Amino acid sequence: MRIEEFVSNSGPKLRGDYSRARADFTVDQDPSAYTAEEQGLWRRLYARQMKILPGRAAPDYLRHLAALDAGDAIPDLEAVSRRLRRATGWELAAVPGLIPDLAFFALLAERRFPVTVWLRKPEEFDYIVEPDIFHDFFGHVPLLFEPAYADYMQAYGRGGLKAARLDALAMLARLYWYTVEFGLVRTADGLRIFGAGILSSGGEVAYALESPKPRRLAFDLERILRTEYRIDRFQDTYFVIESFARLVEDTAPDFTPIYERLRALPPIAPHAVMDGDRPVQAAAKM
Ligand code: HBI
Ligand code: FE
């Protein structure tokens, strides 16, 4: 989709500046353009998460986050890209905000992760609907340094381009939602968070692991492809993977026949209980 077309179709909902975007929707980040207020807000967001993530976030995530040393200032995306290229061959692509599905998938398929350049307003400290640089960077970037996760993200981008041709994007988007955004992983010490939507949230971190309300189900590809989600509240259901390597394996088959089969079945509501669901014991916190 052309930039002008995307901006006029999406109208006043888009809050980024698309006027300087290239045809692939990327822009240049100016790391010196953030105000002192924005730098302060970044530090407060970062510090809040660091109080709650130890013992709850996936160990791989915490290790890569610490190595990024991004707690003091909004990161320079070019500088991080240089390190990321050496680690897993990924790079970061600055974007003005939400971009069209196909542009998003095309970047992932090239191992380029889109990171929004703007930061939320102070009144959005606790909750923001659209991804900003805090969600995109803090939530998503650390695990791009993890080889198996990095491969999963590229496969997702390729799968997105294919799903678009097969008219199956609604199904595939659920996989992204329940893994990349809201996924949990089982470790020897108990459940841990790897989904960026949880990792960058002040409230959902403890809820996802410790609340008795949501269901926590073992990863099941076809169940996920059918499960609807809500974008404006804590999740009713989380899915738990065994490892990133297993996630790559479990999503490696051609989805074409799966889409065909699932198309005939009704979607599953976010809170529904189904025959065959395998609940995962929420581990006691140590
Ligand atoms: N654009 N900047 C940005 N970030 C996203 O996460 C994003 C997007 N455009 C589309 C999109 N996500 C969805 O298509 C996927 O989550 C399925
Ligand atoms: Fe995200």
Side-chain angles (χ1 to χ4, degrees):
M1 200 183 318
R2 285 166 51 245
I3 296 166
E4 301 76 32
E5 196 188 334
F6 177 67
V7 171
S8 63
N9 289 349
S10 313
K13 282 178 293 176
L14 291 174
R15 55 194 267 186
D17 174 10
Y18 291 75
S19 67
R20 273 177 250 196
R22 291 178 275 264
D24 64 359
F25 282 86
T26 65
V27 294
D28 290 318
Q29 179 202 31
D30 178 359
S32 69
Y34 299 103
T35 65
E37 288 71 30
E38 288 173 322
Q39 297 289 0
L41 180 61
W42 173 275
R43 286 193 294 271
R44 291 198 302 283
L45 286 161
Y46 192 102
R48 171 182 62 181
Q49 294 315 97
M50 292 319 290
K51 277 194 204 131
I52 55 181
L53 289 182
R56 293 194 177 105
D60 291 328
Y61 169 86
L62 289 172
R63 185 164 40 85
H64 297 304
L65 177 67
L68 280 167
D69 193 19
D72 293 335
I74 298 172
D76 176 337
L77 302 180
E78 271 299 324
V80 174
S81 282
R82 285 193 284 275
R83 299 172 53 181
L84 190 50
R85 265 184 228 114
R86 269 180 271 138
T88 57
W90 274 78
E91 61 183 65
L92 306 181
V95 291
L98 284 173
I99 62 175
D101 289 343
L102 286 182
F104 181 73
F105 298 138
L107 287 172
L108 297 183
E110 295 175 351
R111 289 175 101 84
R112 299 172 73 199
F113 190 79
V115 175
T116 300
V117 289
W118 53 266
L119 183 67
R120 68 192 67 188
K121 301 277 167 239
E123 57 273 23
E124 295 166 311
F125 193 76
D126 288 322
Y127 182 72
I128 183 169
V129 187
E130 290 176 70
D132 70 340
I133 190 169
F134 186 74
H135 166 80
D136 283 343
F137 190 93
F138 187 91
H140 288 286
V141 171
L143 282 174
L144 293 173
F145 284 83
E146 188 60 30
Y149 183 93
D151 288 346
Y152 176 69
M153 289 294 281
Q154 180 177 31
Y156 184 85
R158 290 173 169 159
L161 295 171
K162 186 160 104 184
R165 293 193 298 270
L166 298 171
D167 195 23
L169 272 189
M171 279 188 271
L172 188 68
R174 295 173 184 145
L175 178 62
Y176 193 85
W177 190 262
Y178 285 114
T179 58
V180 176
E181 295 293 352
F182 290 95
L184 304 180
V185 58
R186 204 163 64 88
T187 77
D189 299 322
L191 299 193
R192 295 290 185 269
I193 300 159
F194 77 92
I198 311 174
L199 293 167
S200 62
S201 159
E204 195 155 353
V205 166
Y207 174 89
L209 291 183
E210 288 139 41
S211 168
K213 281 190 211 149
R215 300 174 209 301
R216 300 174 187 86
L217 305 177
F219 179 89
D220 175 336
L221 177 63
E222 300 195 10
R223 167 65 154 97
I224 290 175
L225 293 175
R226 291 179 62 198
T227 306
E228 296 169 329
Y229 55 84
R230 302 222 170 91
I231 64 166
D232 55 355
R233 40 171 295 181
F234 293 167
Q235 301 302 302
D236 293 314
T237 302
Y238 299 95
F239 289 90
V240 182
I241 66 166
E242 291 296 315
S243 67
F244 297 128
R246 259 299 285 284
L247 179 61
V248 170
E249 237 175 74
D250 289 348
T251 55
D254 181 5
F255 285 17
T256 310
I258 304 177
Y259 294 144
E260 284 319 305
R261 188 151 27 82
L262 299 187
R263 231 184 266 286
L265 302 174
I268 300 171
H271 59 271
V273 182
M274 302 292 288
D275 284 348
D277 280 354
R278 288 170 292 141
V280 176
Q281 191 63 43
K285 275 218 10 138
M286 306 205 304

